[in-house]
């Protein structure tokens, strides 16, 4: 099973709302990732969690707040977003972060629209 | 820094072979990947190759790696309309601890 699941599939929110994106994997992977992808562009890395600890933050604005409650779950909390934050948000996981086992498996994404 | 480049578009006829090319700059790349993305979907890992390999074949997919020229290619044999998608090349390095560098993607259009 190489499945990463994400909920919700679509999300529309206003600039004053607070919402969360969820990601789950049951492959026993210890690294999880959040990416942002604009249309027709490659995914841009936002955060990496390794063994439930934040290991990489690519200078993401604080209105995005990641959380890794356990090794299978990854959340992205959203607050006071801007319309330019509208994008496809992708979660990925890998066995490890760095080295021979960092092949990443992606979820289907959450399509976020900020009004 | 790392840079991965791909041509943006490729159009082929159904049944032909498709070859998607990628060049990268960092010679310390450990793994090189090909991902497929259909409209509105996430990235699907198609195949990957370790940097000490020259070739990998998996059913209709053949990956060739020329490490000297830092050139990676993906050949799809007997291309079908369902292969129409964006294909991303990506590299990762052991020292980068989880950061992969993606190319801009090649949009493959398969005409019947």
């Amino acid at each position: 099973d190489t499945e990463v699941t994400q909920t919700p599939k679509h999300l529309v929110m206003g600039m004053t709302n607070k919402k969360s994106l969820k990601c789950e994997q049951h492959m026993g992977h210890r690294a999880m990732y959040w990416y942002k992808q604009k249309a027709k562009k490659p995914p841009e890395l936002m955060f990496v969690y390794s063994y439930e600890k934040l290991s990489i933050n690519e200078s993401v604005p604080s209105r995005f707040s990641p959380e890794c409650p356990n090794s299978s779950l990854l959340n992205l909390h959203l607050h006071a977003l801007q319309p330019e934050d509208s994008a496809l948000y992708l979660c990925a996981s890998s066995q490890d972060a760095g080295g021979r086992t960092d092949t990443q498996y992606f979820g289907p994404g959450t399509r976020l629209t900020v009004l | 820094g790392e840079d991965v480049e791909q041509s943006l578009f490729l159009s082929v006829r159904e049944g032909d072979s498709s070859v998607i090319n990628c060049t990268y700059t960092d010679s310390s790349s450990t793994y090189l990947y090909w991902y497929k993305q259909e409209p509105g979907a996430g990235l699907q890992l198609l195949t990957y190759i370790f940097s000490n390999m020259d070739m990998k074949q998996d059913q209709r997919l053949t990956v060739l790696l020329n490490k000297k020229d830092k050139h990676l290619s993906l050949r799809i044999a007997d291309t079908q309309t369902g292969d129409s998608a964006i294909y991303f090349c990506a590299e990762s390095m052991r020292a980068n601890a989880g950061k992969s560098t993606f190319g801009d993607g090649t949009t493959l259009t398969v005409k019947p």
Side-chain angles (χ1 to χ4, degrees), chain A residues 32-102:
Chain A
M32 295 185 78
Y33 310 75
W34 279 116
Y35 287 86
K36 174 184 177 180
Q37 187 182 28
K38 291 283 206 180
K40 309 272 190 213
K41 295 291 185 185
E44 299 170 29
L45 184 65
M46 299 173 73
F47 303 104
V48 180
Y49 272 84
S50 180
Y51 291 84
E52 296 157 53
K53 290 194 185 333
L54 184 64
S55 58
I56 295 176
N57 176 343
E58 291 287 274
S59 303
V60 179
S62 60
R63 57 186 184 269
F64 295 92
S65 174
E67 179 198 16
C68 190
N70 61 57
S71 59
S72 301
L73 291 174
L74 185 66
N75 298 322
L76 186 63
H77 303 298
L78 314 172
H79 175 52
L81 293 194
Q82 304 296 309
E84 59 265 28
D85 296 321
S86 299
L88 181 68
Y89 286 83
L90 294 164
C91 174
S93 72
S94 65
Q95 191 172 334
D96 208 335
R100 298 177 64 87
T101 54
D102 66 355

Side-chain angles (χ1 to χ4, degrees), chain A residues 33 35 37 40-43 45 48 55-56 58 88 90 96-109 111, chain B residues 30-31 33 35 37 40-45 48 50 86 88 92-100 102-105 107:
Chain A
Y33 310 75
Y35 287 86
Q37 187 182 28
K40 309 272 190 213
K41 295 291 185 185
L45 184 65
V48 180
S55 58
I56 295 176
E58 291 287 274
L88 181 68
L90 294 164
D96 208 335
R100 298 177 64 87
T101 54
D102 66 355
T103 300
Q104 296 181 30
Y105 296 87
F106 283 80
R111 174 75 57 192
Chain B
T30 310
Y31 279 96
Y33 303 91
Y35 288 92
Q37 187 174 35
L43 272 69
Q44 175 194 350
L45 177 67
Y48 61 91
F50 191 46
I86 301 177
F88 290 100
S92 73
M93 285 163 281
R94 189 169 301 187
N96 256 1
K99 291 177 71 166
S100 291
F102 287 81
D104 282 344
T107 299

Side-chain angles (χ1 to χ4, degrees), chain B residues 17-74:
Chain B
S17 291
S18 308
V19 180
I20 303 171
N21 294 301
C22 171
T23 57
Y24 59 98
T25 55
D26 202 307
S27 55
S28 58
S29 295
T30 310
Y31 279 96
L32 294 136
Y33 303 91
W34 285 106
Y35 288 92
K36 175 185 179 182
Q37 187 174 35
E38 297 182 55
L43 272 69
Q44 175 194 350
L45 177 67
L46 284 179
T47 187
Y48 61 91
I49 189 166
F50 191 46
S51 57
N52 68 355
M53 296 169 66
D54 298 323
M55 186 183 98
K56 182 177 180 182
Q57 187 152 4
D58 184 2
Q59 299 182 338
R60 290 192 298 125
L61 305 178
T62 303
V63 178
L64 294 177
L65 175 60
N66 182 328
K67 201 170 178 185
K68 175 174 161 288
D69 295 337
K70 300 192 186 70
H71 182 265
L72 181 74
S73 68
L74 174 70

